[in-house]
Amino acid sequence: MSSNLVKGTAILSIGLFLSKALGLLYVIPLYAMVGEENLGLYQYAYIPYNIMLSFAISGMPIAVSKYVSKYNALGDYQAGRKLLKSSQWIMIGSGIVSFLLLFFLAEPIAQIVRADDEQAFTVDEIAGVIRLVSFALIVVPFMSLTRGFFQGYQQFTPTAVSQLIEQIVRILFVLAGVYIVLNFTEGSEKTAISFAVFAAFVGAVAGLAVLYFYWRREKPEMDSLLAESSGSGDVRLKDMYREMLVYIFPIVLVGLANPLFQFVDMLTFNRAMASIGLASVSDGQLGMLNFSTHKIVMIPVMIGTAFSMAIIPIVTGYFTKGDRLGMTRSLDQVFQITAFMTLPMITGLMILSDELYHLLFEQSRVGADILRTYAPASLLFALYSISGSILQAIDRHKWIVLNLMVGLLLKLALNIPLIRLFEAEGAIYATVIGYGVAVAMNIGVAVHTLRYRSRMVIRRLFLILLFNAVMGLAAWGVLRGLYLFGEADGKGDAFLYILITGIAGAVVYAYLAFRSGLAQKLFGDRLKRITKKFGM
């Protein structure tokens, strides 16, 4: 296993975890200030924004990461620099165009979303938040491209730090802005939400400033590599872009998968709920599905996201050199670590769904049930990012398109019937079916292409599942024991129950992982040296 992959994934995972954790924690004071119903307006802004952002970026950051890594592996640093300079202008142009498109499409989108007069938000309110969040599109594509360039040099710290600073600045702007609107201007909660979505632009500017700092710091070393470049500089941009266009569209689809599935919910959920007489609660439940519980469910996905960002340039390097053994070892480690880290978090979310939803938002049986049902989907989200990235690295781009289209068509076909049967949980079932089919097809193509076989991975996956079952039973038993003292009536009780149950589960899982030697095998010699000191 390449140490660069482990190191890169660790750096990106830490940055993503802190970013996701902050992105979840700030919802607590925001929820207290604006209420659950008004958070639904917040998610109406971000789903079309995320889709437009994917089109604006058009896979260019990942493409640049792959090509810079490819040409660097060949000693041609000049080709990567030429690609950066030209693609910067493309990202600036696409950002401006996508901003204008979303700004002027805001009202038509809002008219589609509002299916019934009983819904909580008007067309003008929904269109207003979409227009305000669209300003971030001017900055984010250029910022994402710069992150991709650094990753092509296998420098992952700039990405992690800039993501963290972007999130911190955005959150501070959201909370301060909402507080000022509600307490000093006597504005409504809906007005405060409109102000809060503009924070995406402010945070992006802060993230870009961090990347500029790293660029100034790393440029002398990059310039020295450029001076020693073995390339002749004859690689034409036209040829590079022609080669890139072959797989840029699949890259866009990998990034678009989750927003597209959410967009299907955004367009169909309200109409399906109205058809069974539940229009009055539709906005609230859609907010739970696409915003509050989704933020919690996406935390385990960070492992897959980090791997998908780190694996492309590294596996591309192996693929360019024809090193199949290096690729196989990388895939072994990716699948094992993803399962090892993701499954216990999913188990914890399911067991503690009532307490978690109560702590972060309010005591809600509906919200807790949605979270419990939604939690397993995070494994599919993580595996889709990883498997899609593997197919990109081995140039199986057409399959990415086909597999996602199959999954998305299943979501479209099943969403309304399942919502009518199971309400919000029906939308989750449709998502799980669509994602599950797409992931299975992605992995099947990768296994067939690489002739990838690993009985060792299968054995360890079964072992990880066994450890999670034991941990889950232990955590469930501890929680049931705590219930003997009474239900978690307040947020303090909910926090205490989560803390005690979480520690108990973590101790059991860690004991099993270290005593069996699995953790040492997955995380390398450094961890082995530490555990030997404790006699494990």
Side-chain angles (χ1 to χ4, degrees):
M1 175 63 187
S2 168
S3 61
N4 285 335
L5 179 56
V6 175
K7 180 181 177 182
T9 303
I11 292 171
L12 291 174
S13 294
I14 292 170
L16 283 168
F17 176 79
L18 292 173
S19 180
K20 293 288 185 183
L22 289 172
L24 176 61
L25 292 174
Y26 92 94
V27 174
I28 300 173
L30 179 64
Y31 184 95
M33 287 190 282
V34 301
E36 181 179 70
E37 185 178 82
N38 292 300
L39 282 180
L41 186 59
Y42 199 78
Q43 60 92 21
Y44 280 133
Y46 273 96
I47 293 174
Y49 163 77
N50 287 331
I51 292 174
M52 192 62 72
L53 177 60
S54 294
F55 281 115
I57 292 174
S58 299
M60 190 67 76
I62 296 178
V64 167
S65 169
K66 176 174 180 176
Y67 269 85
V68 169
S69 176
K70 173 183 176 179
Y71 286 110
N72 285 358
L74 299 172
D76 187 356
Y77 295 93
Q78 189 172 349
R81 188 66 68 88
K82 285 172 63 177
L83 181 61
L84 173 67
K85 289 180 180 178
S86 63
S87 55
Q88 283 176 334
W89 289 107
I90 294 174
M91 288 293 94
I92 291 171
S94 68
I96 294 172
V97 170
S98 61
F99 155 67
L100 293 172
L101 281 172
L102 186 58
F103 189 90
F104 289 109
L105 286 173
E107 187 166 341
I109 293 171
Q111 290 172 342
I112 295 172
V113 168
R114 194 169 191 271
D116 194 280
D117 290 339
E118 291 186 29
Q119 287 181 232
F121 308 116
T122 66
V123 169
D124 288 341
E125 288 167 345
I126 296 171
V129 294
I130 294 174
R131 289 192 184 103
L132 283 169
V133 79
S134 67
F135 283 91
L137 292 168
I138 300 172
V139 180
V140 175
F142 181 83
M143 176 178 64
S144 300
L145 176 75
T146 308
R147 288 171 176 165
F149 179 75
F150 278 116
Q151 290 165 28
Y153 275 80
Q154 297 186 15
Q155 294 185 13
F156 302 102
T157 302
T159 295
V161 175
S162 66
Q163 285 176 332
L164 182 59
I165 297 301
E166 178 188 2
Q167 184 76 300
I168 290 172
V169 172
R170 186 179 72 86
I171 290 169
L172 290 175
F173 189 87
V174 166
L175 297 179
V178 169
Y179 184 81
I180 290 169
V181 169
L182 294 178
N183 293 280
F184 293 96
T185 68
E186 298 183 357
S188 68
E189 287 83 359
K190 293 176 182 178
T191 303
I193 290 294
S194 299
F195 187 84
V197 296
F198 186 71
F201 172 78
V202 178
V205 172
L208 188 60
V210 172
L211 290 173
Y212 177 72
F213 165 78
Y214 277 102
W215 171 256
R216 291 293 300 270
R217 195 180 76 172
E218 301 295 334
K219 190 173 184 295
E221 183 179 348
M222 291 181 180
D223 286 344
S224 66
L225 292 172
L226 182 63
E228 299 171 4
S229 177
S230 62
S232 61
D234 292 335
V235 180
R236 296 189 304 170
L237 288 172
K238 182 179 179 181
D239 295 332
M240 280 196 284
Y241 282 116
R242 185 184 295 116
E243 193 177 350
M244 287 168 60
L245 285 173
V246 174
Y247 66 88
I248 273 184
F249 184 60
I251 292 174
V252 174
L253 288 181
V254 171
L256 265 176
N258 203 263
L260 282 174
F261 274 73
Q262 285 190 295
F263 195 60
V264 171
D265 288 329
M266 183 173 163
L267 295 180
T268 60
F269 188 85
N270 290 332
R271 297 184 186 280
M273 293 288 280
S275 70
I276 55 176
L278 295 174
S280 60
V281 298
S282 178
D283 287 306
Q285 289 196 19
L286 183 58
M288 291 177 181
L289 177 66
N290 275 351
F291 183 77
S292 54
T293 62
H294 189 263
K295 276 191 168 294
I296 302 172
V297 166
M298 291 305 287
I299 289 180
V301 182
M302 67 184 179
I303 303 297
T305 303
F307 266 125
S308 67
M309 294 168 70
I311 199 171
I312 288 181
I314 291 171
V315 172
T316 298
Y318 287 140
F319 196 68
T320 303
K321 298 173 184 176
D323 185 356
R324 285 193 175 273
L325 180 60
M327 281 192 294
T328 299
R329 289 175 176 172
S330 295
L331 296 183
D332 286 349
Q333 202 79 352
V334 164
F335 288 130
Q336 291 177 77
I337 293 177
T338 299
F340 183 82
M341 299 296 291
T342 303
L343 287 174
M345 288 190 276
I346 292 171
T347 304
L349 290 181
M350 295 177 70
I351 292 172
L352 292 165
S353 58
D354 287 292
E355 289 73 24
L356 279 167
Y357 201 89
H358 185 187
L359 175 66
L360 295 174
F361 306 109
E362 66 180 5
Q363 200 162 24
S364 169
R365 173 59 57 189
V366 174
D369 288 344
I370 291 173
L371 176 58
R372 187 180 302 108
T373 306
Y374 206 0
S378 61
L379 179 62
L380 293 175
F381 297 159
L383 287 175
Y384 182 80
S385 295
I386 292 169
S387 61
S389 296
I390 293 170
L391 294 188
Q392 290 170 36
I394 63 175
D395 296 326
R396 292 299 181 269
H397 310 112
K398 293 179 182 178
W399 284 102
I400 298 173
V401 179
L402 175 63
N403 298 347
L404 179 59
M405 289 300 100
V406 171
L408 195 60
L409 286 173
L410 284 171
K411 169 72 173 175
L412 278 166
L414 296 173
N415 212 47
I416 290 178
L418 289 177
I419 291 170
R420 286 172 175 167
L421 287 173
F422 304 106
E423 299 177 20
E425 292 179 359
I428 298 172
Y429 298 147
T431 296
V432 168
I433 292 170
Y435 256 99
V437 170
V439 167
M441 293 175 71
N442 280 356
I443 293 177
V445 171
V447 167
H448 176 75
T449 303
L450 297 174
R451 296 186 291 277
Y452 173 71
R453 300 289 186 275
S454 182
R455 292 182 180 178
M456 177 268 292
V457 169
I458 294 174
R459 289 197 304 270
R460 288 187 180 173
L461 290 179
F462 276 115
L463 186 62
I464 291 169
L465 286 171
L466 177 61
F467 288 172
N468 275 273
V470 174
M471 181 205 73
L473 285 172
W476 181 82
V478 170
L479 184 61
R480 288 296 160 185
L482 292 172
Y483 283 164
L484 295 176
F485 297 96
E487 297 286 335
D489 295 325
K491 290 185 181 293
D493 292 339
F495 175 77
L496 186 62
Y497 284 18
I498 292 169
L499 182 64
I500 295 173
T501 306
I503 289 174
V507 168
V508 170
Y509 192 70
Y511 175 81
L512 293 171
F514 282 108
R515 178 57 66 180
S516 66
L518 179 61
Q520 295 91 319
K521 291 173 183 175
L522 291 182
F523 296 101
D525 295 334
R526 183 175 299 178
L527 188 58
K528 289 180 182 178
R529 290 195 296 269
I530 295 172
T531 53
K532 281 182 180 179
K533 296 179 181 179
F534 294 92
M536 300 183 71

